[in-house]
């Protein structure tokens, strides 16, 4: 391989990590739609969080300004990403930490495995982290004879239940309390057989179960919500205190972070620390936020590592329209408002990044052709854009990716599906505001007249409903689609 | 080429192929609250927000801190608590065994009934106290392992907003932002107090 080739933006390699599902979205979604319990669990959970979130966002007098500031900081970060990463590296190193770079999942897994091996440990404790799920770190550690212990309650439920996460924030959102109790009774050694399904009792059982692990494990692996370039500070936002345990108790701390998590300044934290908890858990502030800068003598881990991960992010950055997916702060608000997610759940998306953000991020990380059904996993209702605390225009990126899919199929001399052709036309129309407005007006009439769009959008509505009124339209879209 | 070179070259190539518009200025946002630090209404707001998230708030004067803390510990039957080496002598409660942290091992800390610390700053609007590991707060571990945290905040440390708090803090210390006791929203997205961190959080606010 030549050096020039090595230095070009690259997608995430296949065969490692959890960015690609085993089957296309429509197939997986059809199965999920048949699961009434799943749908009840999701409806209850997302409804709860939407109400809480709306209430605490309503208390913030400058929410629109904060969102705009969040977007501006992220755009600025992406424009200067190489310089900011170098600055971060210098600051972390100056504070006694060690920085590693990983071009992809394979390299990141090897770096972490080698670091753990060097300590002689055969067990690590983990704070919930999307990046390590993305690269399949647990699988890599297990293959190397190292036991990863998930310490976040939801991750623990998933790990004990030999299940897969289905939500960014609440990986076990698809489980209700009765199901969680069953998992604990079956899989948790020494659990009290009289355990009830009271959430407080379940939380207490997890506390007892993990105490000994916290006190005896010498290595922890975390992700990071933010990394401040100018100071070298890393931040982890959490609720339970398992994060504090992992960040404080062990001798060695290894943090794996996607390169897009860097922010320029200390002052910028003030914007994101206000946006994230309110949009995410619907709290004014999450119970615990930890910040550390390299090594503090006599306090916490004395060996501190930071692994900076590309794994497809450079390819996302190369797409002028799609790169805004890198602005995501993983709050999961877009999942909680999405009519498609609420019905299919997270597993149908196949990737660790489900819901609207997953539908734009996963195909860009892997290359559109390897997650080609995801940009279609949306009704384009726009709720995700409205909810996003950093104003990522997910619907526009979806349309853009559908057009890319069509273009790539054409380039490969394959005939695009009728749906793909219609989407390309839609993408063109949506890029041209006056045409789009005319089409939307016509679409509004069309809904009354019989749910058909005028050309060039009619190819699209031939197979589904016009994007609006989420609950009915998606279901209708679905039934029509499965019949075709 | 090292992995570092490859990643940086990829990112530069990505930006060169589709250069982003530079961001020249950032939209402003609210940095300061309407009330100055320590204003009685801010202290009330802090108390209300902390209580909302199931922390217990107590009021004291500088002269009554020790008695207030002693009362809290006695009411919950706490027998032995850890304190950081720099906790002001006038704040140390009587009637309980006080263990001054001297690099105590983790399993010893985990057996204790509580911890008494100061704070670096508090944010009224979010109901948050921030510890920065100064001598009156101690190592991060001591406020984590015991099941009960009593935190003494001076009124003048109470600011309105998150940006005001950040401006008072410095990144070269490890920081812990605490908003209520340990909690989880992992079961059906309902908040439940009490997982791994201290399950009881008492905040004593002194007004000089
Ligand atoms: S895309 Fe926006 S709303 Fe969705 S998880 Fe990311 S930051 Fe949150």
């Amino acid at each position: 391989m030549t050096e020039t080739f090595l230095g070009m933006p690259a997608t995430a390699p296949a065969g490692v990590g959890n960015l690609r599902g085993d089957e296309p979205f429509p197939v997986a979604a059809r199965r999920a739609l048949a699961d009434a319990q799943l749908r009840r669990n999701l409806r209850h959970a997302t409804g709860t969080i939407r109400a809480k979130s709306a209430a605490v966002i309503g208390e913030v007098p400058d929410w629109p300004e904060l969102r705009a500031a969040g977007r501006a900081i992220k755009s600025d970060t992406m424009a200067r990403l190489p310089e900011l990463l170098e600055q971060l590296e210098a600051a972390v190193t100056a504070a006694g930490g060690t920085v590693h770079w990983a071009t992809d999942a394979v390299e990141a897994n090897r770096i972490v495995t080698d670091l753990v091996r060097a300590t002689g440990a055969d067990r690590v404790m983990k704070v919930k982290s999307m990046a390590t799920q993305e690269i399949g770190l647990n699988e890599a550690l297990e293959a190397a004879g190292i036991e990863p212990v998930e310490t976040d309650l939801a991750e623990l439920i998933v790990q004990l239940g030999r299940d897969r996460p289905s939500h960014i924030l609440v990986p076990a959102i698809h489980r209700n309390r009765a199901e969680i109790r069953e998992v604990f009774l079956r899989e948790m050694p020494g659990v009290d057989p009289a355990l009830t399904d009271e959430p407080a009792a379940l939380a207490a059982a997890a506390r007892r179960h993990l105490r000994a692990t916290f006190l005896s494990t010498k290595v922890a692996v975390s992700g990071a919500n933010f990394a401040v370039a100018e100071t070298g500070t890393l931040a982890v936002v959490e609720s339970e205190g398992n994060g504090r345990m992992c960040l404080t108790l062990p001798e060695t701390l290894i943090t794996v972070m996607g390169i897009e998590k860097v922010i320029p300044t200390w002052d910028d934290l003030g914007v994101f620390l206000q946006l994230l908890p309110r949009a995410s858990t619907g709290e004014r502030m999450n119970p615990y936020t930890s910040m550390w800068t390299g090594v503090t003598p006599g306090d916490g881990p004395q060996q501190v590592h930071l692994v900076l991960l590309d794994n497809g992010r450079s390819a996302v950055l190369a797409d002028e329209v799609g790169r805004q997916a890198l602005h995501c702060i993983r709050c999961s608000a877009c999942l909680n408002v999405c009519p498609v997610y609420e019905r299919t759940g997270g597993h149908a998306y196949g990737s660790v990044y489900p819901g609207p953000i997953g539908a734009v991020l996963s195909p860009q990380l892997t290359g559109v052709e390897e997650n080609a059904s995801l940009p279609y996993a949306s009704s384009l209702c726009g709720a995700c854009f409205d909810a996003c605390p950093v104003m990522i225009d997910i619907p526009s990126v979806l349309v853009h990716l559908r057009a890319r899919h069509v273009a790539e199929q054409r380039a490969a001399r394959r005939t695009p599906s009728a749906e793909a052709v219609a989407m390309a036309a839609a993408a063109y129309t949506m890029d041209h505001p006056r045409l789009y407005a005319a089409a939307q007006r016509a679409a509004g009439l069309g809904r009354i007249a019989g749910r058909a769009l005028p050309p060039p959008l009619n190819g699209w509505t031939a197979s589904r409903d016009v994007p609006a009124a989420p609950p009915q339209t998606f279901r209708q879209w679905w039934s029509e689609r499965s019949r075709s | 080429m090292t992995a570092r070179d490859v990643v940086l070259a990829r990112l530069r190539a990505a930006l060169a192929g589709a250069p982003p518009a530079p961001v020249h200025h950032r939209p402003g946002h609210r940095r300061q609250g309407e009330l100055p630090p320590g204003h009685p209404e801010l202290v009330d707001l802090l108390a209300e927000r902390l209580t909302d998230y199931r922390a217990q708030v107590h009021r004291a004067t500088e002269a009554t801190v020790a008695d207030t803390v002693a009362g809290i510990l006695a009411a919950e039957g706490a027998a032995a608590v850890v304190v950081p080496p720099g906790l002001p002598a006038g704040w140390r409660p009587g009637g309980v065994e006080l263990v001054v942290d001297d690099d105590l091992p983790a399993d010893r800390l985990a057996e204790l009934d509580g911890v008494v610390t100061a704070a670096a700053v508090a944010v009224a609007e979010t109901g948050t106290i921030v510890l920065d590991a100064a001598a009156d707060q101690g190592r991060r571990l001591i406020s984590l392992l015991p099941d009960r945290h009593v935190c003494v905040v001076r009124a003048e440390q109470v600011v309105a907003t998150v940006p005001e708090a950040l401006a008072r803090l410095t990144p070269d210390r490890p920081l812990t932002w605490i908003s209520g006791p340990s909690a989880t929203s992992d079961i059906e997205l309902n908040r439940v107090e009490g997982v791994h961190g201290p399950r009881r959080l008492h905040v004593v606010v002194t007004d000089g």
Side-chain angles (χ1 to χ4, degrees), chain A residues 22-185:
Chain A
D22 303 330
E23 49 192 10
F25 180 81
V27 179
R30 186 173 304 145
R31 197 171 38 251
L33 286 171
D35 185 344
Q37 180 65 53
L38 171 76
R39 223 159 35 251
R40 267 196 302 277
N41 293 353
L42 283 171
R43 199 166 44 231
H44 172 72
T46 56
T48 305
I49 200 79
R50 282 198 303 269
K52 282 174 62 181
S53 185
V56 294
I57 285 173
E59 287 175 2
V60 181
D62 61 336
W63 188 254
E65 287 82 6
L66 281 173
R67 289 179 80 208
R71 174 160 75 175
I73 293 167
K74 285 292 186 178
S75 300
D76 178 37
T77 301
M78 294 313 143
R80 300 190 287 133
L81 194 52
E83 293 75 31
L84 290 172
L85 290 170
E86 287 173 316
Q87 194 187 4
L88 174 69
E89 177 187 43
V92 170
T93 309
T98 309
V99 177
H100 311 258
W101 299 70
T103 57
D104 60 25
V106 178
E107 239 172 53
N109 286 335
R110 184 179 45 70
I111 291 167
V112 177
T113 307
D114 288 350
L115 287 171
V116 178
R117 278 221 180 99
T119 67
D122 57 5
R123 185 175 59 193
V124 300
M125 49 188 180
K126 290 188 65 207
V127 200
K128 179 175 155 11
S129 130
M130 298 304 298
T132 61
Q133 281 172 35
E134 171 191 324
I135 61 176
L137 179 65
N138 286 4
E139 294 84 336
L141 289 172
E142 278 162 9
I146 299 160
E147 180 198 2
V149 182
E150 294 290 353
T151 62
D152 172 76
L153 178 53
E155 291 288 358
L156 180 71
I157 294 164
V158 167
Q159 195 177 39
L160 288 176
R162 289 184 258 281
D163 203 347
R164 282 183 304 135
S166 72
H167 188 277
I168 296 177
L169 171 74
V170 195
I173 196 170
H174 56 292
R175 297 278 183 214
N176 64 23
R177 59 183 75 185
E179 294 171 294
I180 294 167
R181 172 176 174 267
E182 277 168 36
V183 170
F184 279 13
L185 285 178

Side-chain angles (χ1 to χ4, degrees), chain A residues 168 276 279 324-325 327-335 337 354 356-358 360 384-385 387-392 394:
Chain A
I168 296 177
L276 181 56
Q324 57 182 308
H327 297 185
C328 174
I329 57 173
R330 309 274 188 267
C331 74
S332 69
C334 58
L335 279 62
V337 299
I357 182 59
V360 294
C384 48
F385 187 15
C388 178
V390 291
M391 300 174 75
I392 300 174
I394 295 176

Side-chain angles (χ1 to χ4, degrees), chain B residues 99-197:
Chain B
V99 185
V100 178
D101 178 44
D102 171 21
D103 270 333
L104 293 173
D107 45 5
R108 171 86 177 105
L109 284 170
E111 285 166 1
L112 294 172
D113 301 313
V115 55
V116 183
T117 72
V121 62
V123 187
E125 290 180 356
T126 58
T128 305
I129 53 173
V130 188
L131 308 191
D132 73 357
D136 56 2
Q137 297 150 58
R139 296 183 295 153
R140 284 175 284 173
L141 212 48
I142 69 167
S143 54
L144 176 60
L145 289 173
D147 204 9
R148 180 175 290 102
H149 183 186
V150 182
C151 182
V152 185
V153 179
R154 297 185 177 94
E156 70 265 20
Q157 293 180 308
V158 181
V159 299
T161 68
V162 170
E164 281 174 90
L166 276 167
R168 287 189 171 205
L169 294 164
T170 144
D172 40 343
R173 294 173 172 285
L175 301 177
T176 308
W177 300 56
I178 300 172
S179 309
S182 162
T184 180
S185 301
D186 282 350
I187 302 166
E188 301 178 6
L189 278 173
N190 283 308
R191 182 166 164 138
V192 182
E193 278 73 27
V195 200
H196 303 295

